[in-house]
Amino acid sequence: ARTWRADAIFRMKKRINMALLLVTGGAGFIGSCYVLSRCYAGDTVVNLDKLTYSGNLGNFEVLRGNPKHIFVHGDIGNVELVEHLLKTYQPDAVVNFAAESHVDRSIIDPEAFVRTNVLGTCTLLRTTKTWWKECAAAHRATFRFLHVSTDEVFGALHPGDPAFTEDTPYSPNSPYSASKASSDHFVRAFHETYGFPTLITNCSNNYGPRQFPEKLIPLVTLNALARKTLPVYGTGSNIRDWLHVEDHCDAIQRVLEHGRVGQTYNVGGNSERTNLQVVHGICAVLDDVRPSVEGSYTDLIRFVTDRPGHDFRYAINSSKLNTELNWHPTHTFEDGLRETVQWYLDNEKWVKDVQSGEYRSWMQTNYAGRLQN
Ligand code: NAD
Ligand code: TYD
């Protein structure tokens, strides 16, 4: 039987015709942006998150006391818990962000990526599919399971190669991308085998507020502010296609509402930059807004031992999403980067809170052994 609170939410949602979403991994970087945007839009979000090192309840300070955000601490692989949430809240959709998300960590501990990204996703699919089959026909027809994935499943491009399309064969190179590729295959298989109404999005590198500072842009920003060295892997010539997290969340919502069941959609920012360009861009913003008497932040750049199996280039062709769903990124990389750097300057408490023991031990594990070239 549903609890009183769930009943009340269920009735309210039906009355005003807003969605109830079960979001997994909603305490992380992209998930929290999505949760905030959906709560502001009037939907109710049940946010299931294990709170690993990158999950952060501090991302929801602004939603404190807001009944549209229901946080549940738990694992996507916990069948009883997920079953309970599905039966209690009867969501209109499940949006799966939950994952181990950092390539360098996957090189050190690949099994952790198999546990959450492969097994966890498969269990979440099975549990949700079992519940979905018992739903009333009208609910079964409109329900969607959207899985958030990455362009890294397609492998690496050479300079001049055409960008990845939805038809590019999978060719993952890192344990992270292998685990995401595997999860995508399971999502696809659940659609083909059981008719489960799935959608997949494969996006490029996200940037924006609230990204855990193990990733390039926040790492370089915060190291620079602390006058620490800025580690650039290899020669800094690797290329990523940068997508603002808010544009990504808009794309997810558009796919959820209007995407064709069983399809995948690529999401890119049309902003290919070399890593060195990105690092110089961050330094230029800081030199402008927080000039240092010790000289330009670029003096801190150091070329260090490359990431093993480092994919040279990613680039996304989003024309399917552009033409079918009329989605286009709205942020230019230069403006988005400036705003992002400014966000880290303005949110000292958030930064201090995430730079905990776990963060410090990761910095030691990943960077202490890298030689400067
Ligand atoms: P993140 O590491 O910031 O957040 C992941 C969240 O998942 C965290 O809150 C964590 O606590 C939670 N989580 C981890 N394991 C869990 C489990 N077993 N059960 C429940 N929750 C769990 O990652 P992100 O950058 O926000 O990425 C979100 C999704 O987007 C991931 O699936 C990632 O593969 C994908 N993606 C990210 C990027 C990017 O540039 N960040 C690019 C492409 C795709
Ligand atoms: P990252 O933010 O880890 O994302 P991904 O590996 O998913 O693309 O890295 C972005 C790029 O920046 C990637 O080419 C690796 C590079 N990089 C560095 O040069 N130095 C660093 O300290 C980090 C974390 C990444």
Side-chain angles (χ1 to χ4, degrees):
R2 287 201 298 271
T3 61
W4 175 87
R5 188 176 187 211
D7 267 338
I9 290 167
F10 192 68
R11 281 198 304 273
M12 181 180 74
K13 171 181 84 98
K14 290 295 169 214
R15 201 170 56 238
I16 58 179
N17 203 23
M18 300 309 295
L20 195 148
L21 305 172
L22 174 56
V23 173
T24 65
F29 164 50
I30 307 173
S32 62
C33 178
Y34 183 74
V35 168
L36 289 167
S37 72
R38 293 325 304 160
C39 289
Y40 289 148
D43 291 344
T44 298
V45 176
V46 180
N47 180 358
L48 171 64
D49 197 295
K50 190 178 174 183
L51 295 180
T52 65
Y53 73 93
S54 66
N56 183 355
L57 286 181
N59 291 337
F60 303 111
E61 285 295 325
V62 288
L63 291 181
R64 195 188 285 261
N66 185 333
K68 290 191 172 297
H69 181 228
I70 299 159
F71 182 77
V72 180
H73 185 198
D75 195 310
I76 53 169
N78 182 336
V79 176
E80 291 74 30
L81 175 61
V82 173
E83 227 169 49
H84 168 75
L85 295 176
L86 292 166
K87 287 182 178 160
T88 303
Y89 293 104
Q90 303 284 323
D92 299 298
V94 171
V95 185
N96 181 31
F97 293 92
E100 290 293 335
S101 67
H102 191 36
V103 173
D104 291 321
R105 287 185 194 255
S106 81
I107 293 168
I108 291 170
D109 181 11
E111 281 96 333
F113 287 67
V114 176
R115 279 192 293 274
T116 283
N117 301 2
V118 185
L119 264 177
T121 302
C122 185
T123 304
L124 179 68
L125 280 163
R126 181 173 58 78
T127 313
T128 311
K129 185 265 294 174
T130 304
W131 161 81
W132 168 78
K133 283 193 82 158
E134 300 299 316
C135 287
H139 192 175
R140 220 170 36 240
T142 54
F143 177 82
R144 299 286 182 270
F145 182 104
L146 189 148
H147 175 66
V148 178
S149 191
T150 169
D151 59 0
E152 305 196 21
V153 297
F154 298 119
L157 295 169
H158 298 293
D161 282 350
F164 302 128
T165 70
E166 289 78 4
D167 297 326
T168 303
Y170 276 28
S171 183
N173 292 317
S174 71
Y176 164 68
S177 53
S179 70
K180 291 296 290 186
S182 173
S183 66
D184 294 6
H185 290 322
F186 275 103
V187 175
R188 185 191 146 81
F190 267 67
H191 175 67
E192 294 297 321
T193 307
Y194 308 107
F196 189 51
T198 59
L199 296 156
I200 300 177
T201 52
N202 293 90
C203 70
S204 57
N205 283 63
N206 282 223
Y207 71 101
R210 295 180 295 273
Q211 186 168 32
F212 191 80
E214 64 189 352
K215 304 272 168 55
L216 181 69
I217 289 178
L219 183 134
V220 165
T221 304
L222 298 181
N223 271 21
L225 284 171
R227 299 289 313 169
K228 292 184 178 157
T229 56
L230 313 181
V232 174
Y233 295 168
T235 59
S237 52
N238 300 62
I239 294 168
R240 298 292 182 264
D241 172 6
W242 293 94
L243 169 67
H244 196 281
V245 66
E246 289 168 4
D247 283 329
H248 181 200
C249 291
D250 283 349
I252 289 172
Q253 190 57 24
R254 216 162 277 213
V255 171
L256 187 61
E257 287 177 8
H258 306 291
R260 285 182 291 137
V261 165
Q263 295 284 310
T264 76
Y265 292 87
N266 280 359
V267 192
N270 287 337
S271 297
E272 284 185 60
R273 301 286 185 280
T274 66
N275 292 338
L276 200 53
Q277 283 174 320
V278 172
V279 173
H280 274 285
I282 296 167
C283 291
V285 174
L286 288 174
D287 282 337
D288 183 25
V289 299
R290 189 64 71 87
S292 166
V293 287
E294 294 175 66
S296 169
Y297 292 96
T298 53
D299 298 343
L300 300 169
I301 294 173
R302 298 289 182 278
F303 295 95
V304 300
T305 310
D306 208 351
R307 173 186 281 173
H310 194 174
D311 283 340
F312 181 71
R313 173 179 166 236
Y314 305 135
I316 278 270
N317 177 336
S318 324
S319 44
K320 180 174 175 182
L321 191 56
N322 304 154
T323 52
E324 271 189 31
L325 303 183
N326 194 26
W327 173 90
H328 300 272
T330 59
H331 292 79
T332 64
F333 183 65
E334 281 62 36
D335 289 349
L337 186 65
R338 178 170 283 273
E339 283 164 23
T340 300
V341 170
Q342 190 63 51
W343 188 89
Y344 287 96
L345 290 172
D346 294 343
N347 287 273
E348 279 175 27
K349 180 175 175 335
W350 186 96
V351 168
K352 194 163 156 284
D353 289 350
V354 298
Q355 288 180 324
S356 64
E358 208 288 334
Y359 168 80
R360 281 197 293 277
S361 70
W362 168 249
M363 295 302 279
Q364 181 67 18
T365 306
N366 194 42
Y367 294 99
R370 282 182 195 270
L371 299 173
Q372 290 185 10
N373 300 318

